[in-house]
Amino acid sequence: MAPNQVSDPVPLVNSLDSIYSKAGVLKNGKRWDDLASKFADAYDGLKPDFIARAPGRVNLIGEHIDYVGFSVFPAAVEKDILMATKVTLAPAGGSSDSVEVVLKNTTTRFAETSFTSRYDSVDGVQLLNSGDSRWANYFKVAFKGLHSHLPSSVLDASNPSRPVRIQVLVDGTIPPESSLSSSAAMTTCSSIVILESFSARSLIDRKEMAEVAIESERLVGVNSGGMDQSASIFGIPDHALYISFYPELSVEPTKLPQSDTEHTFVIVNTLVVSDKKVTGPVNYNLRVVETRMAARALAKGLGLGSGNGCKDLRGVLETYFAENGGVGRLELEIENSGAVKETLEKSGEEAARIKVLEEKVESLYHDDTLKAGLTRQQVEELTGYSGEEFDKEFLSSFPIRADKFELYKRSKHVFTEALRVLQFRSLCNSPSPDVYRQLGSLMDDSQSSLRDLYNCSCDELNTVIDIAKRNGSLGSRLTGAGWGGCTVHLVPKKKVEVFISAMRTQYYAKRFEGKGLSEDELNDACFDTKPAGGACVYKV
Ligand code: NG1
């Protein structure tokens, strides 16, 4: 390995077999071939140097807990973003202090756009708040985020491979704002294009890439967790990913259990668009803030003080055990609670610690008044933060709008969902004959919690889930942030046809009555999926 090269860079692939299933190769092969000719049409006959790819993801379980620090269980999907790219270097002897990025999209909805940045500073790169060039923000934030991670030798004038122009043609199959994470795929793919264009792909490893992509995406205005970028970067065919964020980002590829009957995950898009950038103040970002308030309230209730460690619910759990004698504390808790003891026996120590905190939540919000939505004044009393301190702690990062804050319901969801992820993982790792029924039941419980405690389901999501449960699904839940977008269903392979046909007649035909959806639109909205490979670069 050459000096400075990392051991785990975004891989270079030379065949689509390492990305897609057999059916996926058939489906996507022509698309890849066509992209080069579309690139030539878009850029005066030029040929791309490489194609970067980043997939979307479906989350199997563990919703709205990544930004709180708990582990999640997604898989990368075959739907993805491709960026065909041509890099132009400064002519020999010539010099430039900046690089121009030209962005075109095969979908006309996204207007052609470009921006220029100096090599030594990205401060001049402005994000757009509106207009049909706004999609360039994903590329811009990737550039801004990555800039400080690029070694100075890459940006320095002494580097003969510094690009003066990067021309990109984007082609995506992930429906936008549908909770399959087209945004994270855009940020991730853009980061890879930048790395490859500056010949720096082998200088930054995938973990750092994921961390940068997570930070970068927050610049777009969403207080997002790290699940999507990590799933997009670390996807492996046929594996789900157990992704942990504590004490640091780590990814454990996990095979779904073997069984006599084949099972699959079917994705059903409600086709209700939920744009987090627009609804953030009342939906996604508000939930992030509520969980932070809940963390401070729980920390105060447990007498843990207001250190940085307690800013999220995972931090509260860790601080509680660290300050109260670790394992010894757990032993004490077991003596006091049969449920904790049972959780320890069934699902291990980490699960038992989560169960302890779930019980602390019940004690803190011990009556119905506290369990209901709370006014700012009540939250001030519970958290110990008031006035300007309250504004700074909870209201300064992203704008939110709310009269009431649901701290009990959000905390209860977080701890029960975190526990379900661990149970899901142990079922996958030591399967029993009934494993798929048990996995399905965890998915159903997750959905109930998202609907009733996290309030992020909606009528259409509930309708699709009801239809699914009547037509062969063992477990059905919304996937991603919710409030629309997609659902995921665990279905025995032999029931998939019936399942999809029921969705078509009972959901799509009714919802789009009169307008009708084409066969392609229907295939795109409701489909059987397999875990796919992660982000990569393909040299043309
Ligand atoms: P979606 O809406 O599917 O992109 C979002 C967040 C995730 C996670 C889920 C909820 C972004 C980019 N992604 O997913 O990190 O918090 O909601 O589990 O904001």
Side-chain angles (χ1 to χ4, degrees), residues 47-191:
K47 191 173 161 286
D49 298 313
F50 65 88
I51 296 176
R53 168 191 189 256
R57 63 97 191 91
V58 57
N59 190 18
L60 305 180
I61 197 153
E63 220 62 84
H64 286 285
I65 57 172
D66 57 347
Y67 50 78
V68 180
F70 285 107
S71 308
V72 294
F73 213 94
V77 292
E78 298 205 327
K79 288 190 183 292
D80 54 16
I81 303 246
L82 304 180
M83 293 190 181
T85 307
K86 166 90 192 152
V87 182
T88 309
L89 306 182
S95 77
S96 167
D97 58 5
S98 56
V99 55
E100 182 196 21
V101 179
V102 186
L103 298 168
K104 297 187 185 185
N105 202 305
T106 54
T107 307
T108 48
R109 168 184 160 192
F110 302 108
E112 170 184 342
T113 178
S114 67
F115 69 94
T116 301
S117 173
R118 294 179 57 86
Y119 297 118
D120 60 1
S121 163
V122 282
D123 293 350
V125 177
Q126 301 290 333
L127 300 190
L128 299 171
N129 292 322
S130 57
D132 50 8
S133 297
R134 197 176 130 197
W135 67 283
N137 282 355
Y138 290 105
F139 207 100
K140 292 178 178 177
V141 295
F143 197 49
K144 279 172 170 285
L146 209 49
H147 188 261
S148 60
H149 292 255
L150 291 173
S152 53
S153 56
V154 168
L155 296 164
D156 199 78
S158 60
N159 173 15
S161 348
R162 234 171 31 162
V164 289
R165 189 177 309 115
I166 303 173
Q167 290 160 300
V168 181
L169 180 64
V170 181
D171 183 69
T173 51
I174 314 169
E177 284 101 38
S178 67
S179 59
L180 295 181
S181 234
S182 59
S183 61
M186 273 297 288
T187 321
T188 304
C189 207
S190 306
S191 307

Side-chain angles (χ1 to χ4, degrees), residues 57 59 61-68 72 138 177-185 187 214 217-218 222-229 245 274 276 284-285 288 413 417 450 454 456 477-483 486:
R57 63 97 191 91
N59 190 18
I61 197 153
E63 220 62 84
H64 286 285
I65 57 172
D66 57 347
Y67 50 78
V68 180
V72 294
Y138 290 105
E177 284 101 38
S178 67
S179 59
L180 295 181
S181 234
S182 59
S183 61
T187 321
I214 295 164
E217 189 149 348
R218 293 197 182 123
V222 179
N223 217 343
S224 57
M227 161 167 69
D228 305 350
Q229 301 79 357
F245 305 97
S274 165
K276 279 205 269 23
Y284 191 89
N285 289 344
V288 177
H413 166 76
E417 185 77 353
L450 290 163
Y454 225 71
C456 62
R477 55 188 293 284
L478 67 85
T479 186
W483 297 285
C486 288

